[in-house]
Amino acid sequence: MGKTTYKRLKGSQNLRHRLLLATLSSSPVLIEDIRADDTLPGLRQHEVSLLRLFEKVSDDCIFEINETGTKLKYKPGIVMGGRHLVHDCGVSRSIGYFLEPLILLGLFAKKPLTIRLKGITNDFKDPSVDTFRSATLPLLKRFGVPSEGLDLKIESRGSAPHGGGEVVLTIPVVQSLNAVTWTDVGMVKRIRGVTFSTRVSSQFENTMIHAARGIFNRFIPDVHIFTDHKAGTQAGNSPGYGISLVAETNAGCFISADTAIAYAREEETGDIEDEKKELMPPEDVGEQIASILLGEIEQGGVVDSTHQGLLFLLCALCPQDVSKIRCSKLSPYGIEMLRHIRDFLGVKFVIKPDPCTGTVILKCLGCGLKNLNRKVS
């Protein structure tokens, strides 16, 4: 047994991507100075919860956190997957924060993964569970992930600040992904969406749909937005409402936008007095999210800006073959992801702007990650 060599990193930014890439590339990491200068230094609740989740789906994964929480040693184990797993995500971040790393770990696990996640299903910070179901899962199919056993079931909704939602995620295992050439964005052929409301009048949903359709119907006739009003135990513990929209193009691209309106969490509100501040009216929510979606479509990438990082990572994990994709202007999150991919997987992207469309063409040679843990059936 040789001495473990740790990759040294600093700061708290992009912690979940560092942990994910460390796990996929089996490289132990030592992260120092985690919010060392903050009034509340160290790891946040959701970051510790994420480590617990990694521990749940892996075997022999070890992490050590110092007393102040500003230093983390993480040694990844073998991703096992498994059925009937349950994880409480807490209420400091929504389930969307945990889904992205979990989906990628599940693909390269030993056994197919079925896990029940509890917490906040819809939030304005992270992509909602609806967006994962209608835009993220179709993106995985593009890379050769089988649709059999790929599912996200929303059993109950939970809004901030107290959550109470539950979803069941099922991920199949793959031996390796397929490289893609994906530069044709195509034209939008239909828009689909879903509104939700918990512990408020279901009329809020009709108002949001009416406002969003008022904008879309000028451009496209095929718009269907469904309602998902939850009551009783399925409505979680807090009032909230929101909308998730996906535009599908004739080239098979899914461009998404979503938002959720709820009362702020305690740590976000300085004073208790303004805790019950006015929420944005549903009409404005519908109009705002429709405009955001049109903005994402206008930018012209094969995915929206929130899915950029995931797209780059999928390309980097492909076999040693060239992947070529078209993206809109790179988001700060996408740029950080490209840096982490270079550091952990040694994959560099060739980035070429396309001045005619204002988009960017990225090419890379995949690192050829194979799932060696997979049970051969």
Side-chain angles (χ1 to χ4, degrees):
M1 291 291 286
K3 191 170 177 283
T4 309
T5 319
Y6 286 90
K7 192 180 189 68
R8 296 178 88 93
L9 300 164
K10 277 193 171 179
S12 63
Q13 66 277 19
N14 300 92
L15 184 83
R16 64 182 175 151
H17 296 127
R18 287 171 167 182
L19 294 175
L20 172 64
L21 282 159
T23 310
L24 292 172
S25 61
S26 304
S27 21
V29 286
L30 169 64
I31 304 173
E32 295 172 301
D33 293 341
I34 302 173
R35 300 189 187 88
D37 302 331
D38 279 25
T39 41
L40 289 167
L43 292 165
R44 298 282 177 262
Q45 283 174 339
H46 55 270
E47 291 162 343
V48 176
S49 181
L50 185 70
L51 283 164
R52 293 258 174 252
L53 180 59
F54 275 45
E55 194 178 41
K56 232 166 244 180
V57 297
S58 311
D59 198 10
D60 207 21
C61 127
I62 301 162
F63 61 89
E64 292 170 26
I65 303 168
N66 71 348
E67 279 176 23
T68 51
T70 52
K71 190 170 163 188
L72 166 69
K73 253 185 175 181
Y74 174 69
K75 186 166 174 270
I78 295 166
V79 185
M80 297 300 285
R83 301 204 179 282
H84 312 303
L85 299 175
V86 180
H87 182 70
D88 189 341
C89 300
V91 290
S92 61
R93 279 300 272 271
S94 75
I95 291 173
Y97 174 84
F98 299 85
L99 279 174
E100 189 181 306
L102 190 58
I103 285 170
L104 284 161
L105 288 182
L107 292 175
F108 293 95
K110 192 168 182 176
K111 294 177 286 203
L113 174 71
T114 304
I115 184 164
R116 179 183 293 272
L117 300 166
K118 301 178 179 185
I120 293 170
T121 53
N122 301 75
D123 192 2
F124 64 94
K125 271 188 192 166
D126 303 290
S128 71
V129 288
D130 303 287
T131 301
F132 272 94
R133 193 165 62 176
S134 51
T136 313
L137 298 187
L139 170 62
L140 296 176
K141 291 174 192 170
R142 188 55 86 151
F143 287 84
V145 177
S147 41
E148 213 177 303
L150 183 65
D151 189 31
L152 180 64
K153 220 192 247 146
I154 302 166
E155 300 213 331
S156 58
R157 297 263 175 194
S159 298
H162 302 303
E166 283 192 23
V167 301
V168 177
L169 175 72
T170 317
I171 297 286
V173 289
V174 294
Q175 186 167 14
S176 63
L177 299 169
N178 300 342
V180 295
T181 300
W182 192 14
T183 53
D184 181 14
V185 179
M187 303 295 277
V188 174
K189 62 177 180 180
R190 58 168 166 245
I191 290 175
R192 294 288 178 266
V194 63
T195 61
F196 82 94
S197 58
T198 59
R199 305 202 174 277
V200 293
S201 160
S202 58
Q203 191 52 45
F204 279 33
E205 295 186 57
N206 299 332
T207 312
M208 284 188 284
I209 292 171
H210 185 71
R213 286 194 67 126
I215 290 178
F216 290 139
N217 285 351
R218 295 177 215 162
F219 307 104
I220 185 171
D222 190 355
V223 180
H224 279 287
I225 305 173
F226 303 93
T227 59
D228 184 20
H229 177 67
K230 296 285 192 203
T233 52
Q234 291 188 320
N237 307 324
S238 297
Y241 49 93
I243 182 167
S244 163
L245 299 171
V246 175
E248 193 183 335
T249 73
N250 53 13
C253 305
F254 293 86
I255 311 292
S256 66
D258 68 52
T259 190
I261 304 295
Y263 289 109
R265 301 178 178 86
E266 279 161 29
E267 67 261 25
E268 288 165 9
T269 49
D271 301 317
I272 299 300
E273 285 82 66
D274 48 83
E275 197 176 316
K276 284 276 180 269
K277 64 179 186 296
E278 285 295 301
L279 297 179
M280 190 194 284
E283 190 177 355
D284 296 1
V285 176
E287 284 178 4
Q288 183 194 43
I289 209 68
S291 307
I292 289 172
L293 182 64
L294 291 176
E296 289 281 5
I297 295 166
E298 186 191 15
Q299 287 186 359
V302 292
V303 294
D304 51 81
S305 45
T306 48
H307 281 85
Q308 273 185 13
L310 178 63
L311 179 65
F312 299 156
L313 186 50
L314 287 166
C315 289
L317 296 173
C318 282
Q320 289 177 328
D321 196 354
V322 177
S323 286
K324 184 177 174 186
I325 49 171
R326 182 187 298 277
C327 273
S328 53
K329 187 178 155 216
L330 296 182
S331 62
Y333 154 67
I335 294 165
E336 278 299 315
M337 190 54 128
L338 290 173
R339 288 184 183 136
H340 287 319
I341 288 168
R342 178 197 62 198
D343 296 347
F344 280 95
L345 302 174
V347 172
K348 289 181 183 172
F349 282 75
V350 177
I351 303 172
K352 217 178 191 172
D354 179 355
C356 309
T357 56
T359 56
V360 188
I361 301 277
L362 292 100
K363 282 191 214 166
C364 80
L365 190 66
C367 71
L369 183 71
K370 276 195 164 40
N371 188 351
L372 302 173
N373 309 327
R374 192 175 76 129
K375 278 194 168 169
V376 181
S377 51

